[in-house]
Amino acid sequence: MSGATRSLWRFSPDERTLIAGALLNSMAFFAVLPFASLYLSDRTELSVPLIGAVVGGIALIAAVGGLFGGLLVDRSRAVRLMGMGLAANVAVYAALALVGIPEPIVPLLLLLGAVRTLVEPGTKKLLSLADTGDGRIFRVRYITLCLGAIIGPAVGAVLYNISPVAFFLVPAFLFFLYLLLLLSRSRSLNALEGPKSPAPPSSALAVSTALRDRSLLLAVGAGAVIFLVFSQVESIIPLYMRERYADRTEYLFALLLICNAVLALAVQPAIMWLSERLPRRSLVLLGSVSFTLAFVFFWLSPVHLALLYVGIVFWTLGEAILLPLPDIAVHELAVDERKGTYFGLSELRHLGFFVGPVTGGWLLTINASVYFLFMGLFVFLCVPLLLGIRGAAAGTDEDPEPALSSGPDQA
């Protein structure tokens, strides 16, 4: 038991720094982005589709630009790039707080996606280098996202009703704290990367090598499938609820998200325990079945409201199991010199957030039964993708040992 406790909860100083920074990052992110549509509606004359395009464009820029950010991280220093990105975040949020006319709002919001490409690949590279080797730090990072999803919107809702200045300056302050934390530990964090090669491989060669790694492409594909399914709870499920609960939807949906975030924190010890004991196949199937059962209960929720919240229990279980797995896979696949490129390329899985709402909305307009049947089955596409990942490092697809250390079959 003492060994299990150390494995789960004892962190090195570098890990603590990165976990604290991830928490500050997620709180700042969730304090603003969930309210971006409302802010654009209140401050600009944009139509609803254009507002959706702007908000979605933030994620799209971050997804596509992640590869370039990853390449820069491998050729430069993760801490240096992250510091530039965090400083840029502070500047953009401060500009949004001070801008008095609507014209600059859209480009400033889109810049948030661009500066994210400087922070995320470097963060994941350092997390991977600081990890003890089992990838559990990416499950801990998922916990910080859950905490941010609880604290951030609560803070953002209060600030939004106070003033736009407070709404944007508080997240800017959180990013500033993260920057100070990063700089205070820069020497130790830089040491994780070791000395830089005097002649690093060209960007074209790095990308070509990554694109030839079948296991990496499988991890990206699995992540895109999982994100496509995961995006339904914040995009299409509330529309389905609106047809059944009308004016009660906002209240019921808010409670649903709160339950999701709280449960996600509560189940983490059990998920970590399971991930060390279950075979990888069993763990992935359990997560997929949980998502499917969630869609079944969401579909049946008009029979009784309680089924909606039974569904969110299964949803949270599937989310907690599957969401960290693509990052864990990339962590185990990439050698240290290519972690930035690999994690940058893996950001392409966020395209699932783009495609998911469009696909789900189209299916729901056809028929609710078709929608739930498709989503409940589609999630199983991640199973062969995750199980097909092989090799402990880049370019070792032929290695017979599987990459995801999720259970006893990895011994």
Side-chain angles (χ1 to χ4, degrees), residues 384-404:
L385 295 173
L386 287 171
L387 296 183
I389 297 172
R390 302 280 173 176
T396 60
D397 285 350
E398 69 278 9
D399 193 328
E401 290 298 318
L404 290 179

PDB file of all heavy atoms in Angstrom, residues 384-404:
ATOM      1  N   PRO A 384      -9.779  -0.269 -31.231  1.00  0.00           N
ATOM      2  CA  PRO A 384      -8.682  -0.805 -32.054  1.00  0.00           C
ATOM      3  C   PRO A 384      -7.543   0.189 -32.222  1.00  0.00           C
ATOM      4  O   PRO A 384      -6.378  -0.222 -32.367  1.00  0.00           O
ATOM      5  CB  PRO A 384      -9.353  -1.127 -33.393  1.00  0.00           C
ATOM      6  CG  PRO A 384     -10.585  -0.285 -33.426  1.00  0.00           C
ATOM      7  CD  PRO A 384     -11.041  -0.175 -32.010  1.00  0.00           C
ATOM      8  N   LEU A 385      -7.844   1.476 -32.209  1.00  0.00           N
ATOM      9  CA  LEU A 385      -6.785   2.475 -32.353  1.00  0.00           C
ATOM     10  C   LEU A 385      -5.844   2.451 -31.155  1.00  0.00           C
ATOM     11  O   LEU A 385      -4.621   2.423 -31.299  1.00  0.00           O
ATOM     12  CB  LEU A 385      -7.397   3.865 -32.534  1.00  0.00           C
ATOM     13  CG  LEU A 385      -8.206   4.079 -33.814  1.00  0.00           C
ATOM     14  CD1 LEU A 385      -8.903   5.429 -33.794  1.00  0.00           C
ATOM     15  CD2 LEU A 385      -7.313   3.965 -35.049  1.00  0.00           C
ATOM     16  N   LEU A 386      -6.416   2.467 -29.946  1.00  0.00           N
ATOM     17  CA  LEU A 386      -5.582   2.454 -28.741  1.00  0.00           C
ATOM     18  C   LEU A 386      -4.856   1.122 -28.569  1.00  0.00           C
ATOM     19  O   LEU A 386      -3.700   1.083 -28.148  1.00  0.00           O
ATOM     20  CB  LEU A 386      -6.433   2.750 -27.507  1.00  0.00           C
ATOM     21  CG  LEU A 386      -6.901   4.203 -27.348  1.00  0.00           C
ATOM     22  CD1 LEU A 386      -7.913   4.323 -26.221  1.00  0.00           C
ATOM     23  CD2 LEU A 386      -5.717   5.130 -27.102  1.00  0.00           C
ATOM     24  N   LEU A 387      -5.543   0.026 -28.902  1.00  0.00           N
ATOM     25  CA  LEU A 387      -4.918  -1.276 -28.747  1.00  0.00           C
ATOM     26  C   LEU A 387      -3.863  -1.544 -29.813  1.00  0.00           C
ATOM     27  O   LEU A 387      -3.034  -2.445 -29.660  1.00  0.00           O
ATOM     28  CB  LEU A 387      -5.973  -2.381 -28.778  1.00  0.00           C
ATOM     29  CG  LEU A 387      -6.998  -2.366 -27.637  1.00  0.00           C
ATOM     30  CD1 LEU A 387      -7.939  -3.552 -27.747  1.00  0.00           C
ATOM     31  CD2 LEU A 387      -6.307  -2.354 -26.286  1.00  0.00           C
ATOM     32  N   GLY A 388      -3.892  -0.782 -30.894  1.00  0.00           N
ATOM     33  CA  GLY A 388      -2.912  -0.972 -31.968  1.00  0.00           C
ATOM     34  C   GLY A 388      -1.603  -0.257 -31.728  1.00  0.00           C
ATOM     35  O   GLY A 388      -0.657  -0.424 -32.499  1.00  0.00           O
ATOM     36  N   ILE A 389      -1.525   0.557 -30.658  1.00  0.00           N
ATOM     37  CA  ILE A 389      -0.308   1.320 -30.387  1.00  0.00           C
ATOM     38  C   ILE A 389       0.764   0.387 -29.859  1.00  0.00           C
ATOM     39  O   ILE A 389       0.553  -0.342 -28.902  1.00  0.00           O
ATOM     40  CB  ILE A 389      -0.589   2.447 -29.373  1.00  0.00           C
ATOM     41  CG1 ILE A 389      -1.594   3.446 -29.969  1.00  0.00           C
ATOM     42  CG2 ILE A 389       0.705   3.151 -28.980  1.00  0.00           C
ATOM     43  CD1 ILE A 389      -2.079   4.468 -28.980  1.00  0.00           C
ATOM     44  N   ARG A 390       1.932   0.428 -30.500  1.00  0.00           N
ATOM     45  CA  ARG A 390       3.043  -0.448 -30.120  1.00  0.00           C
ATOM     46  C   ARG A 390       4.316   0.365 -29.970  1.00  0.00           C
ATOM     47  O   ARG A 390       4.470   1.414 -30.576  1.00  0.00           O
ATOM     48  CB  ARG A 390       3.277  -1.521 -31.196  1.00  0.00           C
ATOM     49  CG  ARG A 390       2.064  -2.375 -31.465  1.00  0.00           C
ATOM     50  CD  ARG A 390       1.919  -3.444 -30.393  1.00  0.00           C
ATOM     51  NE  ARG A 390       0.656  -4.176 -30.561  1.00  0.00           N
ATOM     52  CZ  ARG A 390       0.305  -5.207 -29.816  1.00  0.00           C
ATOM     53  NH1 ARG A 390       1.110  -5.610 -28.858  1.00  0.00           N
ATOM     54  NH2 ARG A 390      -0.837  -5.826 -30.016  1.00  0.00           N
ATOM     55  N   GLY A 391       5.238  -0.177 -29.206  1.00  0.00           N
ATOM     56  CA  GLY A 391       6.573   0.417 -29.121  1.00  0.00           C
ATOM     57  C   GLY A 391       6.699   1.400 -27.993  1.00  0.00           C
ATOM     58  O   GLY A 391       5.790   2.136 -27.679  1.00  0.00           O
ATOM     59  N   ALA A 392       7.820   1.437 -27.374  1.00  0.00           N
ATOM     60  CA  ALA A 392       8.070   2.326 -26.243  1.00  0.00           C
ATOM     61  C   ALA A 392       8.712   3.633 -26.657  1.00  0.00           C
ATOM     62  O   ALA A 392       8.891   4.517 -25.866  1.00  0.00           O
ATOM     63  CB  ALA A 392       8.958   1.625 -25.210  1.00  0.00           C
ATOM     64  N   ALA A 393       9.080   3.778 -27.918  1.00  0.00           N
ATOM     65  CA  ALA A 393       9.695   5.022 -28.362  1.00  0.00           C
ATOM     66  C   ALA A 393       9.430   5.207 -29.830  1.00  0.00           C
ATOM     67  O   ALA A 393       9.008   4.321 -30.525  1.00  0.00           O
ATOM     68  CB  ALA A 393      11.199   4.994 -28.098  1.00  0.00           C
ATOM     69  N   ALA A 394       9.668   6.427 -30.283  1.00  0.00           N
ATOM     70  CA  ALA A 394       9.404   6.747 -31.671  1.00  0.00           C
ATOM     71  C   ALA A 394      10.164   5.821 -32.592  1.00  0.00           C
ATOM     72  O   ALA A 394      11.318   5.487 -32.398  1.00  0.00           O
ATOM     73  CB  ALA A 394       9.821   8.190 -31.946  1.00  0.00           C
ATOM     74  N   GLY A 395       9.461   5.392 -33.631  1.00  0.00           N
ATOM     75  CA  GLY A 395      10.097   4.569 -34.640  1.00  0.00           C
ATOM     76  C   GLY A 395      10.237   3.122 -34.253  1.00  0.00           C
ATOM     77  O   GLY A 395      11.001   2.398 -34.886  1.00  0.00           O
ATOM     78  N   THR A 396       9.499   2.661 -33.210  1.00  0.00           N
ATOM     79  CA  THR A 396       9.629   1.267 -32.783  1.00  0.00           C
ATOM     80  C   THR A 396       8.313   0.541 -32.937  1.00  0.00           C
ATOM     81  O   THR A 396       7.918  -0.247 -32.111  1.00  0.00           O
ATOM     82  CB  THR A 396      10.120   1.171 -31.328  1.00  0.00           C
ATOM     83  OG1 THR A 396       9.171   1.843 -30.484  1.00  0.00           O
ATOM     84  CG2 THR A 396      11.474   1.798 -31.167  1.00  0.00           C
ATOM     85  N   ASP A 397       7.616   0.817 -34.013  1.00  0.00           N
ATOM     86  CA  ASP A 397       6.317   0.180 -34.238  1.00  0.00           C
ATOM     87  C   ASP A 397       6.417  -1.328 -34.289  1.00  0.00           C
ATOM     88  O   ASP A 397       5.476  -2.044 -33.983  1.00  0.00           O
ATOM     89  CB  ASP A 397       5.698   0.700 -35.543  1.00  0.00           C
ATOM     90  CG  ASP A 397       5.165   2.102 -35.376  1.00  0.00           C
ATOM     91  OD1 ASP A 397       5.091   2.591 -34.248  1.00  0.00           O
ATOM     92  OD2 ASP A 397       4.834   2.688 -36.400  1.00  0.00           O
ATOM     93  N   GLU A 398       7.600  -1.798 -34.678  1.00  0.00           N
ATOM     94  CA  GLU A 398       7.718  -3.234 -34.799  1.00  0.00           C
ATOM     95  C   GLU A 398       7.937  -3.917 -33.457  1.00  0.00           C
ATOM     96  O   GLU A 398       7.910  -5.144 -33.356  1.00  0.00           O
ATOM     97  CB  GLU A 398       8.870  -3.580 -35.737  1.00  0.00           C
ATOM     98  CG  GLU A 398      10.261  -3.250 -35.182  1.00  0.00           C
ATOM     99  CD  GLU A 398      10.641  -1.790 -35.365  1.00  0.00           C
ATOM    100  OE1 GLU A 398       9.772  -0.987 -35.763  1.00  0.00           O
ATOM    101  OE2 GLU A 398      11.798  -1.440 -35.121  1.00  0.00           O
ATOM    102  N   ASP A 399       8.182  -3.130 -32.398  1.00  0.00           N
ATOM    103  CA  ASP A 399       8.379  -3.702 -31.075  1.00  0.00           C
ATOM    104  C   ASP A 399       7.109  -4.400 -30.623  1.00  0.00           C
ATOM    105  O   ASP A 399       6.040  -3.830 -30.641  1.00  0.00           O
ATOM    106  CB  ASP A 399       8.717  -2.566 -30.089  1.00  0.00           C
ATOM    107  CG  ASP A 399       9.235  -3.082 -28.763  1.00  0.00           C
ATOM    108  OD1 ASP A 399       8.802  -4.177 -28.352  1.00  0.00           O
ATOM    109  OD2 ASP A 399      10.060  -2.389 -28.139  1.00  0.00           O
ATOM    110  N   PRO A 400       7.193  -5.665 -30.212  1.00  0.00           N
ATOM    111  CA  PRO A 400       5.994  -6.388 -29.844  1.00  0.00           C
ATOM    112  C   PRO A 400       5.392  -5.956 -28.535  1.00  0.00           C
ATOM    113  O   PRO A 400       4.275  -6.334 -28.221  1.00  0.00           O
ATOM    114  CB  PRO A 400       6.478  -7.846 -29.751  1.00  0.00           C
ATOM    115  CG  PRO A 400       7.937  -7.747 -29.430  1.00  0.00           C
ATOM    116  CD  PRO A 400       8.411  -6.533 -30.131  1.00  0.00           C
ATOM    117  N   GLU A 401       6.105  -5.159 -27.729  1.00  0.00           N
ATOM    118  CA  GLU A 401       5.539  -4.757 -26.448  1.00  0.00           C
ATOM    119  C   GLU A 401       4.617  -3.568 -26.649  1.00  0.00           C
ATOM    120  O   GLU A 401       4.993  -2.582 -27.272  1.00  0.00           O
ATOM    121  CB  GLU A 401       6.654  -4.366 -25.465  1.00  0.00           C
ATOM    122  CG  GLU A 401       7.467  -5.547 -25.011  1.00  0.00           C
ATOM    123  CD  GLU A 401       6.618  -6.566 -24.266  1.00  0.00           C
ATOM    124  OE1 GLU A 401       5.789  -6.173 -23.451  1.00  0.00           O
ATOM    125  OE2 GLU A 401       6.779  -7.762 -24.535  1.00  0.00           O
ATOM    126  N   PRO A 402       3.383  -3.577 -26.105  1.00  0.00           N
ATOM    127  CA  PRO A 402       2.475  -2.453 -26.235  1.00  0.00           C
ATOM    128  C   PRO A 402       2.952  -1.264 -25.440  1.00  0.00           C
ATOM    129  O   PRO A 402       3.637  -1.399 -24.432  1.00  0.00           O
ATOM    130  CB  PRO A 402       1.150  -3.008 -25.688  1.00  0.00           C
ATOM    131  CG  PRO A 402       1.500  -4.172 -24.856  1.00  0.00           C
ATOM    132  CD  PRO A 402       2.764  -4.719 -25.378  1.00  0.00           C
ATOM    133  N   ALA A 403       2.529  -0.071 -25.907  1.00  0.00           N
ATOM    134  CA  ALA A 403       3.055   1.138 -25.290  1.00  0.00           C
ATOM    135  C   ALA A 403       2.302   1.558 -24.056  1.00  0.00           C
ATOM    136  O   ALA A 403       2.880   2.080 -23.129  1.00  0.00           O
ATOM    137  CB  ALA A 403       3.025   2.274 -26.314  1.00  0.00           C
ATOM    138  N   LEU A 404       1.004   1.416 -24.035  1.00  0.00           N
ATOM    139  CA  LEU A 404       0.215   1.945 -22.923  1.00  0.00           C
ATOM    140  C   LEU A 404       0.344   1.057 -21.700  1.00  0.00           C
ATOM    141  O   LEU A 404      -0.122  -0.054 -21.676  1.00  0.00           O
ATOM    142  CB  LEU A 404      -1.269   2.050 -23.319  1.00  0.00           C
ATOM    143  CG  LEU A 404      -1.615   3.110 -24.341  1.00  0.00           C
ATOM    144  CD1 LEU A 404      -3.090   3.058 -24.628  1.00  0.00           C
ATOM    145  CD2 LEU A 404      -1.196   4.490 -23.893  1.00  0.00           C
TER     146      LEU A 404
END
